[in-house]
C-alpha cells in the first residue's frame, strides 16, 4: 500500500425527503447566495421551488442563475463569477448534476481570486481560499458532491481541464435519490459508466499490484452499480436502486477507493476530456468509448488485474490470463453497448479519420496533468483501439 | 437503504515514516499539549522520542502523561482532565491504541465541561465543545483514530460505557503501519477480531435486508482483515499486511460501512463491555466469545444474511440456509480459536455459573444504549450459547 492522505470534510445528508434541509445547511455559510442550476429540469420538476422555500425559511437570500449546460463552459463560469462579485454574495448553492456542481466550484474559487479562474485549470495558480459551496445533487455520476475537483471546457481553446483544491469540498451535499427519479435512460447509463470508470482508474492504474483491500472495495462497488443500473432502467422510480447508484457514485470518487493505490493519473479521463470538448459528447458516453480502448492497451503489458476483474465482477473464469483479461473488458464494453452507450468512435459520430486531429488535444491534457508517457503515437494507438 | 448523515472530518496521514509529521499537524491546534500514552511500549520502542522531537521542531510544548492501561479507567481520565486544566493546555496528543485514544477523547470533552466527564457516558450530558485531539496510532483495532467515540470503565460502578460527539473526531491521525510491527501476537488477533466485529455489527444488525453496497464493502474488508492477520502473524514486520490491518480497522468503524444500514445498536459490544469491565479481559477476546454466541442467537430468526456471509467470506456454499448460516459462524469462531482467542467463557477463565451475576451488568448497558429488547432472559440465553 502506498502512503496517502485522506481528508474529506464534506457533510453528506442522504435519503428520501432531505432536500428541504438545504436552507439550514447553507445558512451557517452565508446569508446571500448564488443559486446555480442547469438547463431547466430542476425548475420544471419543482425541485428548485423546494430549495428556495427552504432557503427562505432559513433566512437565506439568493440570486437565481440557471443555464449551466452539460460540458459546462469557462465563459459561463466567468460570467457567474462576475455576478457573484457584483452582488457581493457569500456562498454558492448548486442544484444539479456534475456540470452544475463543477461550475459552482469554479465560481467559488474564482470569486476569491484576483486573476482569471482558468489559471487554476492550467496549473498557473493553485486554489487557496474559496467561497463555501453546498449542493443538492440530481445525477449519480461525477462524485463532485463529495470531492474537491471540477471540470470545465474552454471553448475558445477547445480545452477541457480540471481544477481542484481542499477548499472546494462542498460543505454540505444533499443526496436525495428521489431527485434522480426523472433522470432519462441515457443519462442514467452515462452516469453509471462515469462512476465505474472512476473506480477503475485507480484499480487498473495503481502502481502497487497487491492491493486486496482497495480491489475488493472497487469490485463490490462496480458490481453494485451495474446491478442497480439495470434495476433503475427497468423502473426509474426504484428507490433502492437509485439510492445505490447515488451513494455508489459518490464513493467512487471521494478518495476512498483511490487511497493507498499510488494512483497518480486518470488516463481514461485524460483521453475522454478532449473528445467531449471537441464533439460535445456526454462525458460518460466518451468514457464508454475510450475506457475499453485504454484497458485493452494497458492490459497487454499487465493482464493479471484484468483477469481478476473478469472473474470477480463478471464471473468469467475460463481461459488463459490474457483471454480472461479480454473477456472482462469485453463484458464491460458489451454492458455499455447493450444499454445504449457508444463504445466505438463511429457510434458517437466521430470519424476514425479524425484521430490525428484529436491526438494533439489529448497530448495537451497529458502535459497539463504531467502524464509524459502518453506520447502522440501512444495516444493514437489507443484511439485506434476504439475505431 | 436508510437515510443517513456522513460527516467525518478527521485528516488521516497514512504510511511508513509519517510519524514525524505529528508536530506540524498538531501545531495549528495548540502550543501546549497533553502528551498521552500507555503502559510504556511507545516509550521503550523510541516512538515517543520521535513524537517529542517532532513536537519540539514544530514549537509545541508538552506535558508527558503515560500510564493509560487497557480497559482505560474513568479515574485516570479524571486525573488527566485535572492536569489538563491546571496546566492550561490547549490540545491532546494521543500516542497509542484505542485505550489511549479513547482516554484522550474523554479528556478533550471533560476539559471543556464544568460537570463530571462521566455524565457524557451515562447520557446525562451531551458532548458540546471539546479540546482538539491528534493521534499517532499503534494498534489496528478500535477505529478510534477516525471516529467520534470512546469507551471508558468506571471501576467504582463496574460500568464500561461510551461517549461520543462530533467534536471528538481526531483532527489529525498519523497511521504508520511500522508503529504496529511490535504488537504482540495475541493483541494482533484481538485487534482484528474487534475490527471484524465492528463490521459485522452493522452487517448483521441492519434493519434493511437488501443492502448489496454495504454488504460487499463489509465482506471485502472482513476477507482482507482475516488474510492480512495471518500474514502479520507469520511475519510481524510484513509491511503490506500491517498496512491492510491498520487501514481496514480504521474503515471498519469510521461510519463508511454503517452508513445507510439503519443500524441502531451494537449488540455484540453491549454484551462484551461488561465482560471486560468485570474480568479485565482484552476487548477483542471478549468479542471472540460473545460475537459467535450473539450471531447464533440472531441467526435463528433470520439466517439468510449469515448464509450469505458463509458463502462470500468463507466460500461455504453447501447445505440448507440454516446449515450454511451455522457453518459461517463456526468458521469465524474456529478462525479466532485457532489463533489463540478464547471463544467460550471458560476459555477466558469465566465460570458459566457467573452468568446470573453478569446479566444485570449487560442489562445496564442495554438500558443506557436504549436496546430494550435485550431483557435479562434474552441476555442469559445468549451467554449460555457461549458456555
Amino acid at each position: 500500500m502506498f502512503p496517502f492522505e485522506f481528508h474529506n470534510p464534506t457533510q453528506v445528508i442522504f435519503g428520501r425527503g432531505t432536500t428541504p434541509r438545504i436552507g439550514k445547511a447553507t445558512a451557517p455559510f452565508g446569508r446571500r447566495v448564488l443559486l446555480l442550476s442547469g438547463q431547466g429540469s430542476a425548475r420544471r420538476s419543482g425541485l428548485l421551488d423546494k430549495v428556495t422555500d427552504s432557503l427562505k425559511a432559513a433566512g437565506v437570500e439568493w440570486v437565481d442563475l440557471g443555464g449551466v449546460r452539460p460540458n459546462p463552459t469557462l465563459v459561463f463560469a466567468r460570467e457567474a463569477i462576475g455576478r457573484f462579485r457584483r452582488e457581493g454574495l457569500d456562498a454558492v448553492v448548486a442544484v444539479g448534476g456534475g456540470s452544475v456542481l463543477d461550475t459552482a466550484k469554479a465560481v467559488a474559487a474564482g470569486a476569491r481570486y484576483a486573476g482569471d479562474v482558468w489559471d487554476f485549470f492550467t496549473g498557473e495558480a493553485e486554489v487557496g481560499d474559496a467561497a463555501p459551496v453546498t449542493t443538492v445533487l440530481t445525477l449519480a455520476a461525477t462524485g463532485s458532491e463529495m470531492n474537491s475537483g471540477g471540470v470545465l471546457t474552454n471553448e475558445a481553446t477547445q480545452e477541457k481541464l480540471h481544477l481542484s483544491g481542499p477548499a472546494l469540498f462542498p460543505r454540505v451535499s444533499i443526496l436525495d435519490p428521489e431527485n434522480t427519479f426523472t433522470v432519462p435512460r441515457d443519462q442514467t447509463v452515462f452516469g453509471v459508466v462515469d462512476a465505474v470508470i472512476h473506480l477503475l482508474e485507480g484499480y487498473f492504474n495503481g502502481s502497487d499490484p497487491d492491493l486486496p483491500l482497495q480491489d475488493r472495495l472497487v469490485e463490490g462497488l462496480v458490481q453494485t452499480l451495474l446491478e442497480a443500473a439495470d434495476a433503475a432502467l427497468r423502473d426509474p422510480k426504484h428507490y433502492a436502486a437509485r439510492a445505490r447508484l447515488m451513494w455508489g457514485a459518490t464513493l467512487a470518487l471521494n478518495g476512498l477507493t483511490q487511497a493507498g493505490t499510488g494512483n497518480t493519473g486518470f488516463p481514461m479521463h485524460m483521453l475522454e476530456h478532449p473528445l467531449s470538448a471537441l464533439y460535445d459528447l456526454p462525458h460518460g458516453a466518451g468514457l464508454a468509448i475510450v475506457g475499453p480502448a485504454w484497458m485493452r492497451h494497458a492490459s497487454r503489458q499487465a493482464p493479471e488485474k484484468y483477469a481478476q476483474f473478469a472473474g470477480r465482477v463478471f464471473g468469467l473464469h475460463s481461459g488463459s490470463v490474457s483471454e480472461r483479461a479480454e473477456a472482462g473488458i469485453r463484458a464491460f464494453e458489451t454492458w455499455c453497448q447493450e444499454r445504449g452507450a457508444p463504445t466505438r468512435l463511429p457510434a458517437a459520430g466521430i470519424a476514425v479519420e479524425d484521430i490525428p486531429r484529436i491526438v494533439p488535444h489529448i497530448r495537451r491534457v497529458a502535459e497539463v496533468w504531467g502524464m509524459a508517457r502518453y506520447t502522440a503515437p501512444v495516444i493514437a494507438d489507443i484511439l485506434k483501439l476504439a475505431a
Side-chain angles (χ1 to χ4, degrees), chain A:
Chain A
M1 208 185 294
F2 279 81
F4 64 85
E5 284 187 39
F6 184 93
H7 186 208
N8 191 323
T10 298
Q11 179 183 6
V12 170
I13 300 176
F14 189 102
R16 204 193 306 263
T18 52
T19 304
R21 294 173 64 182
I22 186 65
K24 268 196 186 165
T26 301
F29 304 112
R31 305 314 293 173
R32 299 190 65 238
V33 303
L34 184 69
L35 176 60
L36 209 58
S37 61
Q39 297 285 294
S41 63
R43 214 173 292 274
R44 287 188 298 276
S45 71
L47 173 59
L48 218 54
D49 287 338
K50 273 193 214 169
V51 171
T52 53
D53 285 352
S54 168
L55 292 174
K56 200 181 295 175
V60 176
E61 294 174 28
W62 66 92
V63 171
D64 187 329
L65 183 61
V68 178
R69 33 157 289 195
N71 292 320
T73 66
L74 175 60
V75 167
F76 187 100
R78 281 184 183 143
E79 286 172 9
I81 291 166
R83 187 84 180 269
F84 189 98
R85 284 184 181 149
R86 282 194 306 277
E87 303 265 6
L89 305 178
D90 306 317
V92 187
V93 177
V95 180
S99 300
V100 177
L101 272 56
D102 288 6
T103 301
K105 290 176 183 179
V107 173
R112 299 270 175 96
Y113 176 60
D116 177 27
V117 69
W118 191 244
D119 294 349
F120 298 130
F121 294 80
T122 57
E124 279 160 64
E126 281 190 15
V127 177
D129 193 17
V133 173
T134 63
T135 85
V136 178
L137 185 67
T138 61
L139 182 67
T142 71
S144 190
E145 62 277 10
M146 201 184 181
N147 67 39
S148 58
V151 175
L152 286 187
T153 297
N154 180 342
E155 290 179 304
T157 63
Q158 293 188 309
E159 290 172 299
K160 186 174 179 180
L161 295 171
H162 84 283
L163 92 169
S164 69
L168 297 181
F169 282 102
R171 305 303 176 97
V172 181
S173 280
I174 307 268
L175 273 57
D176 180 345
E178 290 191 341
N179 289 335
T180 65
F181 279 2
T182 52
V183 173
R185 187 182 169 85
D186 59 345
Q187 293 299 326
T188 300
V189 173
F190 298 152
V192 171
V193 172
D194 191 19
V196 168
I197 296 290
H198 288 154
L199 292 162
L200 298 183
E201 292 272 20
Y203 182 82
F204 287 133
N205 195 31
S207 322
D208 182 340
D210 194 18
L211 294 163
L213 190 156
Q214 290 82 356
D215 284 359
R216 286 179 175 129
L217 296 181
V218 167
E219 290 152 358
L221 287 169
V222 171
Q223 282 187 293
T224 302
L225 286 166
L226 297 182
E227 285 170 11
D230 281 336
L233 293 178
R234 277 192 302 272
D235 173 11
K237 296 188 176 181
H238 189 312
Y239 180 82
R242 291 292 192 183
R244 286 167 206 156
L245 291 181
M246 197 169 226
W247 187 225
T250 301
L251 294 179
L253 198 60
N254 77 342
L256 167 71
T257 67
Q258 291 81 21
T261 64
N263 181 23
T264 53
F266 279 67
M268 293 182 269
H269 280 70
M270 170 199 76
L271 292 160
E272 197 289 321
H273 282 178
L275 280 195
S276 43
L278 292 169
Y279 299 94
D280 203 16
L281 209 61
H283 175 52
L287 287 171
I289 295 168
V290 300
W294 178 83
M295 292 179 211
R296 288 202 167 94
H297 164 82
S299 69
R300 285 180 191 161
Q301 282 171 9
E304 295 78 10
K305 191 69 159 284
Y306 294 84
Q308 175 181 312
F309 174 74
R312 294 200 190 164
V313 174
F314 290 106
L316 300 166
H317 298 285
S318 56
S320 68
V321 171
S322 300
E323 285 165 354
R324 281 181 282 137
E326 169 57 22
I329 298 167
R330 200 168 45 239
F332 174 64
E333 189 178 38
T334 304
W335 190 95
C336 296
Q337 216 168 19
E338 287 178 348
R339 281 144 196 89
T343 61
R344 299 294 165 126
L345 293 166
I350 302 171
V352 176
E353 292 69 34
D354 272 15
I355 290 180
R357 184 172 94 84
I358 302 168
V359 169
H361 292 272
I362 297 177
R363 267 299 297 158
R364 166 72 177 142
V365 182
E367 268 168 34
V368 175
W369 291 8
M371 297 170 76
R373 70 192 187 82
Y374 288 94
T375 59
V378 169
I379 294 166
D381 277 351
I382 298 172
L383 290 183
K384 282 175 203 157
L385 292 171

